[in-house]
Amino acid sequence: MKDKKKDYVWYISGRMAGLPEMNYPAFHGAARKLKGLGHKCLNPAEVDGGDTSKTWEYYINKSLVMMLRCNKVMLLKDWHLSRGACFEVYCAVVMKMPLYNEKMQKVKISKEQLDELHQVIIDTTYYLKRGVEVKCREYDEIE
């Protein structure tokens, strides 16, 4: 009999920019936790071997392609402060991918939060062309 746990591939989503070491220790810690529980996971901190010299657009493209190979998402602390994680969460909700926090508690995104994430995508697209940084508003992770 096939172990269903092994069928899940997790994507780790969280804030990187502006944090020490690009927050890679938190991403790698989450990956260790998931692997320790017997799960497979894809870690965006491993894109291009951890290189951080390319543009935000390059990394969000790589990350979204990576996320499409997964069926669950773990959200790291303060994910909502990252425009990239906001993109990822919006896409995950649209694709009906379950979201969990680091304590493995299911995260629900309300319609209002989804609308806010959608607005972040619109604003980011607009402002990226003008070189302006856009941040997400704070959300409650557990309803």
Side-chain angles (χ1 to χ4, degrees):
M1 180 175 208
K2 199 172 184 180
D3 182 358
K4 289 286 186 192
K5 184 190 292 187
K6 305 286 186 206
D7 291 340
Y8 292 118
V9 180
W10 289 74
Y11 179 80
I12 304 166
S13 180
R15 182 176 175 204
M16 290 182 172
L19 294 176
E21 299 179 67
M22 296 292 287
N23 205 24
Y24 284 4
F27 280 83
H28 295 314
R32 277 191 304 278
K33 178 179 183 173
L34 290 167
K35 289 175 183 176
L37 293 170
H39 299 290
K40 296 176 190 170
C41 68
L42 296 180
N43 181 354
E46 296 173 353
V47 169
D48 290 353
D51 173 47
T52 61
S53 65
K54 296 183 179 73
T55 65
W56 180 86
E57 295 87 345
Y58 174 85
Y59 291 109
I60 193 65
N61 183 313
K62 291 279 193 177
S63 295
L64 290 173
V65 168
M66 181 185 283
M67 194 177 91
L68 289 173
R69 297 174 28 216
C70 300
N71 45 24
K72 287 191 174 194
V73 178
M74 176 180 276
L75 302 175
L76 299 181
K77 180 182 176 217
D78 293 335
W79 67 268
H80 54 275
L81 299 177
S82 161
R83 62 182 170 180
C86 288
F87 269 65
E88 293 163 351
V89 170
Y90 183 84
C91 292
V93 170
V94 169
M95 294 185 296
K96 300 187 185 321
M97 294 172 71
L99 303 166
Y100 294 84
N101 64 21
E102 293 173 272
K103 296 177 183 174
M104 303 300 280
Q105 297 167 314
K106 195 155 189 169
V107 174
K108 296 184 187 244
I109 303 295
S110 70
K111 164 105 172 62
E112 293 78 21
Q113 291 169 326
L114 188 62
D115 290 344
E116 182 68 27
L117 292 172
H118 184 246
Q119 189 61 52
V120 168
I121 292 170
I122 292 168
D123 293 347
T124 300
T125 303
Y126 177 82
Y127 288 113
L128 273 175
K129 294 178 182 177
R130 287 151 184 84
V132 177
E133 179 105 12
V134 177
K135 298 286 186 189
C136 294
R137 292 188 188 159
E138 188 167 339
Y139 301 115
D140 294 328
E141 289 192 351
I142 303 294
E143 291 185 339

